[in-house]
Amino acid sequence: MDTFLQVVANGLLLGALFAIVSVGLTLIFGIVKVVNFAHGEFLMVGMYLTYLLTNRLGIHPFATVIAVVPLLFLLGALTQRFLIQPLMSARDDHIQIFATVGLSTALINLALLIFGADIANTSASGLRMPLQLGPVRVLTGQLAILAASVLLVVGLQRFLNQTQTGRAIRAVAQNRAAAQLMGINVNRIYILTFGIGAACVGVAAALIAPLYPTSPNIGTYFVLTAFVVVVLGGLGSIGGAFLGSLVIGLIDSLSGFYLSSDLREVAVFGVFLVILILKPSGLFSGGRLNLSHVSP
Amino acid sequence: MTDTSLVSNEPLSPAASSRRGAIAIAAILAALVVVPYLIGDQFVYHVFITICIFAALSTAWNIVGGFAGQLSLGHAIFYGIGAYAGIILMNMGISPWLGMFVGAAIAVIVALAISYPCFRLHGSFFSLATIAFLEVFRVLALHFRDLTGGATGKMIALKFGWEWMVFREKFPPLIIAFGLLLLTLAVAWWIRSHRIGFYLVATRERESAAKAAGVNTVKVRLTAVAVSAALTAFVGTFHAMYLTFIEPAAMFSLALSIQIAMFALIGGLGTVFGPLLGVIMLVPISELARGWLGAHAVGLHGFVYGAALIVVVLFMPNGLMGFLSRFKSQPAATKGQGLTVAAAPRDAERPPIGDPILVVDSLQKHFGGLHVTNNVSFALRQGEILGLIGPNGAGKTTVFNMISGFLKQDSGSVAVRGEDGKFHTPLAPTDFAAIGVGRTFQIVQPFAAMTVEENIMVGAFHRYQDVREAREVARETAHRMGLAPWLDAEARGLTIGGLKRLEVARVMAMKPRVLLLDEVMAGINQTDVRRAIDLMFQIRDSGVSIIAIEHVMQAVMSLSDRVIVLNSGQIIAEGKPHDVVRDPIVVEAYLGKEFVHAQA
């Protein structure tokens, strides 16, 4: 029983981690209508930034968000302005896939060029300390991720629902032309959204770096799961992404323990493919965002 | 992506430039063998073998990614299957020449199983699904150690000779790689210049218009995927023999999948020789970078790839082939399309109106709580022109969608008399097309990246398998529709009037017996309306029965033998045009009092 509780707890904590990586992706997905194939590489860039700031300058990993978040916001905004925006008028989204895939390839290899293939370990500063909570053992860093992911999800929801900018963002997501007629600068909203999406990854990076070894390919590892989560949760739905993350975390943890540790990915992707094929609009989507780009 | 280079560079284009193109391609291909042979250097051989392998992979990928527009990022699955099948069988003492076919067979089965569900997905979602499948295969290859050797990978039993596809020298593998490249190019060229190629591109450009033209879109895509997977697996088997060692991470690699797709994009997506060009451009640079800088600068060549991809996407979205085609002579200008509809002398005698050919019985359709059509029943008679009018939102297009198979009715039936004289109830758009129902779309749906001629050919292929015959029919139809001057222009360049006529031409090339016209006169000028009316009569006189949704009253009044008025999903009046417009119910519901005053 205790083992089961531990496995479930691990699953939920892993889910929180997926959530914190996925919220930015789902935001970009839902509003700019672009699948950012370089999202994982944004995370990787953020993790290397955290690594450099922590190990070279001795800053606490969490404190690095002050620098990492704005830098990633900038990276995201620049990507939208100079890579995606010129391609927005392309009828087909193939060209946008190529663009972000190209960015992803370039970033991975740039990291290889600068840091080499060796693993970079960010100093943990007490974040790998185990805590005994009843029958369950968790790491302090994992609890921090759980707390941060809840805060991020709630914060983003409130931002989108209660601020003027948030309302503008949602308006653009629902009907670009109508929003434009209402005097919203759509291009600026897209740049802002892409920036915020990337900034979310910055938060994730600072929290994940102390727990996971950083390597040029680390982004691929996380982002494939993030894609699963986003599709599961319903495109562009932040709450859905959170729920989806917890589900995927549990599937990952349970299948890893009861099936075979190296078949976890098969289970996760199996779920993904089944959902993608049977219900491409996602399990938890209330149809809040305009998904017209999904159907033919 | 709508690829402008698609058409003009193909062997289909005017003779002179295509001959020059063919000579250039032949020279490049010959150089792939001759240059390394003359230099004789091991590294040069290696570079050229790598070029052939990647060009073959990329060309095979392009059949799905380019022609069909399904951007697979999981093509390494088939490559990996070919590699593993080849090596596993070789270690059991079976020649890779046989192993190749085993690998290809497995790849085809896997490809069909994966693609059938995935083709429901579009754009990024399809790509994501293919990545997920690739990851699954990689993990499975790691997991089933007994078969695959797990993470340690598998070596080939070192047996030399042609029989085993393993050599001490570099020339024989070059010959094999070159042969595979030729095979892939030949297959790609064959597909692109035959019916299936037109169908693939048509499906990529406009799925619904392709269906209306009788294309079984699922079948053509699956065929493309199967062919592409088999070719990719062939290359995989050979490459494994060349590398002599394989492991899951390298065989089922996302990076490889991306690279293959990238070469095709850089060369020119959807063109036959684009991928080859892309590979020739990039592989030498990358191999040199790897050779010279590899030890010092890991990741440099990858960075170059990624950066090149971004640059091409931004500045040369149609790839090298598109770039090159800019230097070729431009097709006829597209000015003044509105003025040249061939004036149609009506000499044919009008055939008498006959028995019903299409019978609609109490069609019902709800969208949520909204009754879009309620108990709609009518019959179209042989040789008749039936006008379907009604205010916006009356349900006219919904009726069209149900009598061409694009929308399934909640209840009621649509029966069409076939050539055998019996009534049939087709279900899917393809079935409707097969029985002779052709339709146009209210919002024009041209295959934008195809020329006018090719657009019409897609329709003509419905009756004529042979390219030459289909082309002839297309030309003849284009002539009748006054589109002859723009045969070689891309459809995207036409004016709205030209596009409307193109839609009709495409349908007419299918030689339909029932023609459904959805507002073909909307947005064209007076002169064109008059000519279009003449054209309709001409079509009718050739024995085609027509239902036309139309708002241009002048056309409705002079064309229709009978008019049906639809309002809020119900038929409110039916009869001769002049009687119908005087019907008080119609006046009240639709035409407005002013119209009656004007008529009086």
Side-chain angles (χ1 to χ4, degrees):
Chain A
M1 190 59 201
D2 280 3
T3 325
F4 177 73
L5 284 178
Q6 182 69 51
V7 172
V8 168
N10 288 348
L12 292 176
L13 290 168
L14 191 63
L17 187 146
F18 291 151
I20 208 169
V21 177
S22 310
V23 280
L25 186 65
T26 205
L27 192 71
I28 297 171
F29 221 172
I31 289 151
V32 195
K33 314 267 191 260
V34 165
V35 178
N36 180 19
F37 282 85
H39 200 73
E41 282 59 54
F42 285 6
L43 177 72
M44 181 266 293
V45 169
M47 284 173 76
Y48 270 112
L49 286 172
T50 303
Y51 163 76
L52 288 179
L53 291 170
T54 304
N55 286 25
R56 299 275 164 85
L57 302 180
I59 302 172
H60 188 274
F62 288 179
T64 62
V65 290
I66 298 166
V68 173
V69 167
L71 281 172
L72 274 163
F73 179 90
L74 193 67
L75 180 61
L78 289 176
T79 304
Q80 170 61 28
R81 174 62 190 84
F82 293 105
L83 190 59
I84 306 296
Q85 193 170 300
L87 304 174
M88 283 302 256
S89 56
R91 189 176 70 83
D92 228 300
D93 39 12
H94 286 178
I95 204 82
Q96 295 168 6
I97 299 176
F98 272 119
T100 54
V101 164
L103 181 63
S104 150
T105 310
L107 287 175
I108 291 177
N109 288 287
L110 192 64
L112 260 175
L113 210 57
I114 299 171
F115 298 99
D118 294 338
I119 282 167
N121 281 309
T122 308
S123 48
S125 313
L127 293 171
R128 287 209 203 102
M129 227 159 50
L131 287 175
Q132 192 73 34
L133 300 177
V136 177
R137 266 163 68 99
V138 298
L139 302 180
T140 41
Q142 287 178 311
L143 282 182
I145 289 176
L146 181 63
S149 69
V150 173
L151 278 177
L152 197 61
V153 166
V154 172
L156 268 182
Q157 291 277 33
R158 294 191 63 164
F159 167 71
L160 287 178
N161 288 326
Q162 292 174 7
T163 66
Q164 194 58 36
T165 318
R167 271 190 283 270
I169 290 177
R170 285 190 297 138
V172 170
Q174 277 159 30
N175 191 327
R176 182 188 169 142
Q180 218 152 10
L181 290 175
M182 295 302 110
I184 296 172
N185 184 335
V186 171
N187 281 335
R188 194 185 297 158
I189 291 289
Y190 282 156
I191 292 172
L192 184 70
T193 306
F194 217 111
I196 294 173
C200 292
V201 181
V203 177
L207 287 152
I208 293 174
L211 296 181
Y212 285 81
T214 305
S215 71
N217 284 312
I218 189 81
T220 322
Y221 173 77
F222 281 113
V223 84
L224 284 176
T225 320
F227 283 138
V228 178
V229 161
V230 168
V231 171
L232 182 70
L235 314 154
S237 159
I238 289 165
F242 187 73
L243 279 177
S245 298
L246 297 185
V247 170
I248 290 298
L250 283 173
I251 291 174
D252 189 301
S253 177
L254 290 170
S255 65
F257 187 76
Y258 291 104
L259 219 60
S260 155
S261 66
D262 51 353
L263 286 182
R264 284 173 314 148
E265 281 179 85
V266 175
V268 170
F269 287 124
V271 170
F272 171 59
L273 289 165
V274 168
I275 290 166
L276 198 55
I277 288 157
L278 295 183
K279 201 169 180 302
S281 57
L283 278 190
F284 305 119
S285 70
R288 261 167 303 155
L289 293 173
N290 178 11
L291 299 176
S292 56
H293 66 301
V294 181
S295 46
Chain B
M1 176 183 12
T2 50
D3 180 6
T4 49
S5 68
L6 183 77
V7 167
S8 38
N9 295 297
E10 300 313 299
L12 313 159
S13 55
S17 65
S18 104
R19 198 174 308 127
R20 223 182 308 149
I23 292 170
I25 292 293
I28 289 174
L29 285 174
L32 285 180
V33 183
V34 174
V35 170
Y37 184 76
L38 290 179
I39 299 176
D41 178 74
Q42 292 291 299
F43 181 69
V44 173
Y45 266 123
H46 169 75
V47 171
F48 276 76
I49 290 170
T50 310
I51 289 177
C52 289
I53 285 171
F54 274 106
L57 287 174
S58 191
T59 307
W61 178 88
N62 194 41
I63 295 172
V64 174
F67 298 171
Q70 296 280 344
L71 201 76
S72 158
L73 290 179
H75 247 55
I77 292 174
F78 314 125
Y79 167 84
I81 287 174
Y84 272 98
I87 287 201
I88 290 168
L89 289 174
M90 189 193 187
N91 289 348
M92 289 162 61
I94 298 167
S95 159
W97 292 103
L98 264 169
M100 261 170 97
F101 287 92
V102 176
I106 301 172
V108 168
I109 294 167
V110 169
L112 294 179
I114 290 179
S115 306
Y116 186 72
C118 283
F119 279 162
R120 288 186 47 193
L121 307 169
H122 293 264
S124 308
F125 296 89
F126 178 81
S127 302
L128 279 178
T130 56
I131 293 178
F133 270 115
L134 179 62
E135 285 299 302
V136 168
F137 269 82
R138 190 177 54 78
V139 174
L140 289 177
L142 282 169
H143 181 73
F144 291 103
R145 281 176 210 92
D146 297 342
L147 190 66
T148 63
T152 6
K154 258 192 148 30
M155 301 269 292
I156 57 166
L158 268 187
K159 291 184 272 195
F160 291 97
W162 279 95
E163 192 192 346
W164 301 105
M165 237 187 240
V166 184
F167 309 92
R168 285 197 175 82
E169 315 83 52
K170 292 272 188 184
F171 189 63
L174 175 65
I175 294 300
I176 298 177
F178 183 69
L180 284 171
L181 171 60
L182 285 188
L183 171 72
T184 338
L185 283 174
V187 171
W189 179 83
W190 192 91
I191 288 181
R192 186 60 191 87
S193 53
H194 284 74
R195 186 162 82 145
I196 179 165
F198 285 79
Y199 278 5
L200 282 172
V201 178
T203 305
R204 177 190 78 193
E205 293 291 307
R206 296 275 179 175
E207 197 166 347
S208 44
K211 280 183 186 161
V215 179
N216 186 335
T217 55
V218 174
K219 198 176 123 193
V220 292
R221 278 179 179 166
L222 286 179
T223 312
V225 152
V227 170
S228 173
L231 291 170
T232 308
F234 280 165
V235 181
T237 307
F238 165 73
H239 203 194
M241 298 304 142
Y242 180 69
L243 296 169
T244 71
F245 167 73
I246 56 174
E247 45 147 352
M251 291 300 115
F252 296 107
S253 141
L254 180 57
L256 177 77
S257 297
I258 291 173
Q259 225 173 52
I260 296 168
M262 192 193 69
F263 289 135
L265 175 79
I266 289 178
L269 215 57
T271 62
V272 174
F273 296 105
L276 173 68
L277 231 61
V279 170
I280 289 178
M281 275 279 293
L282 277 166
V283 165
I285 300 173
S286 124
E287 288 300 314
L288 288 178
R290 207 201 293 262
W292 289 339
L293 304 166
H296 310 285
V298 197
L300 181 63
H301 72 277
F303 180 68
V304 171
Y305 275 147
L309 190 48
I310 294 173
V311 169
V312 168
V313 162
L314 285 178
F315 300 106
M316 228 168 43
N318 297 317
L320 288 170
M321 292 292 266
F323 185 71
L324 291 178
S325 73
R326 275 195 228 156
F327 297 104
K328 295 195 349 188
S329 56
Q330 291 299 311
T334 50
K335 274 185 289 180
Q337 282 159 27
L339 304 170
T340 47
V341 180
R346 281 181 61 209
D347 43 9
E349 272 299 296
R350 163 164 205 190
I353 293 178
D355 295 328
I357 185 166
L358 183 141
V359 178
V360 175
D361 188 29
S362 45
L363 279 187
Q364 302 266 9
K365 184 76 198 173
H366 302 252
F367 289 140
L370 184 70
H371 239 112
V372 192
T373 55
N374 193 2
N375 236 355
V376 169
S377 305
F378 63 88
L380 171 71
R381 294 193 289 261
Q382 177 77 49
E384 183 184 34
I385 299 183
L386 181 60
L388 189 55
I389 63 174
N392 287 328
K396 303 182 295 288
T397 297
T398 306
V399 169
F400 259 29
N401 284 339
M402 285 189 279
I403 59 180
S404 57
F406 280 88
L407 204 60
K408 180 135 187 47
Q409 63 271 25
D410 296 335
S411 67
S413 69
V414 180
V416 184
R417 189 145 50 89
E419 262 161 318
D420 54 3
K422 293 195 198 95
F423 277 98
H424 302 263
T425 49
L427 295 172
T430 342
D431 304 334
F432 276 95
I435 205 164
V437 179
R439 73 166 291 181
T440 67
F441 293 88
Q442 185 180 6
I443 295 163
V444 286
Q445 301 217 350
F447 306 125
M450 295 174 116
T451 63
V452 166
E453 181 181 75
E454 289 180 311
N455 263 273
I456 308 173
M457 278 171 80
V458 172
F461 275 124
H462 185 63
R463 301 244 172 226
Y464 307 92
Q465 293 248 353
D466 184 71
V467 179
R468 227 166 295 155
E469 274 181 285
R471 191 185 305 278
E472 208 135 294
V473 171
R475 289 209 172 134
E476 190 254 330
T477 315
H479 203 81
R480 267 202 292 152
M481 303 287 156
L483 286 165
W486 300 283
L487 275 174
D488 290 327
E490 277 190 9
R492 72 171 99 237
L494 295 184
T495 60
I496 185 69
L499 287 172
K500 294 258 176 193
R501 235 172 303 133
L502 177 60
E503 290 252 319
V504 179
R506 194 171 63 205
V507 184
M508 284 313 292
M510 294 168 68
K511 311 262 176 203
R513 294 180 304 122
V514 176
L515 185 57
L516 309 178
L517 299 173
D518 199 344
E519 290 198 37
V520 284
M521 309 212 187
I524 63 178
N525 63 39
Q526 273 299 308
T527 330
D528 277 354
V529 166
R530 239 168 286 132
R531 283 170 174 158
I533 290 172
D534 272 348
L535 198 60
M536 294 304 120
F537 280 132
Q538 209 192 338
I539 290 170
R540 186 215 40 207
D541 293 349
S542 70
V544 180
S545 320
I546 300 174
I547 306 181
I549 294 179
E550 202 51 76
H551 279 305
V552 178
M553 279 319 278
Q554 173 204 354
V556 178
M557 298 300 281
S558 55
L559 265 176
S560 315
D561 297 307
R562 196 154 52 99
V563 173
I564 287 178
V565 188
L566 214 55
N567 190 26
S568 307
Q570 284 177 315
I571 295 180
I572 55 166
E574 182 177 349
K576 295 243 173 274
H578 284 277
D579 300 337
V580 164
V581 295
R582 289 194 179 83
D583 187 327
I585 302 170
V586 176
V587 173
E588 192 185 316
Y590 171 50
L591 294 171
K593 291 191 169 62
E594 294 82 0
F595 185 84
V596 183
H597 291 312
Q599 289 284 301

